[in-house]
Amino acid sequence: MKYMNTPDSQLTFDDLDLRILEQIQTDCALTNQELAQRVHASAPTCLRRVRRLVEAGVIEKQVAILNPQKVANSLTAIIEITLDIQTAEHLDAFEAAISQAPAVLQCYRVSPGPDFIVVAQVADMPAYHAMAHEMFTSHANVRNVRSFFSIHRSKFETRTVLPAQRTA
């Protein structure tokens, strides 16, 4: 097993690492003892492995996932954005600006098609309009914005598919 913290190296994981990652993706609030029991390892071994996975950058952060409808952010917008000028500097500048918006949950540079796909969550349509005006229409380099609004969420996962789980 090797752990390297460089962007161009491929991390390798053994079966215990994968079991740990699977469990904490499902419930990161498990105590170390509970996690150790679920992955069939000793608590000290489990603690060392988790620390190593954190230090290697495999585990970026541990969070609680809230139900948006319970906290008044029930409108999800999936937004395609095309810039007028698409140099690396302009893409970087727009990405930096959009990443600062609290309503923006995800931002992806994509190809082909639009330059960005953004997922935003706001309370309602007036809140979306205010965010869109601030982030898109007032930005001189935005050529086209196309928004889609979720009417039903049938699946939402935060997990990453682990190597042992990949299917052909």
Side-chain angles (χ1 to χ4, degrees), residues 25 27 63 84 96 100 107 129:
Q25 282 192 101
D27 184 0
V63 299
D84 197 32
Q100 297 304 312
C107 178
H129 183 266

Side-chain angles (χ1 to χ4, degrees), residues 74-91:
S74 61
L75 182 63
T76 301
I78 298 99
I79 309 156
E80 295 179 351
I81 301 164
T82 304
L83 300 183
D84 197 32
I85 303 169
Q86 295 148 338
T87 64
E89 296 81 22
H90 284 89
L91 291 167

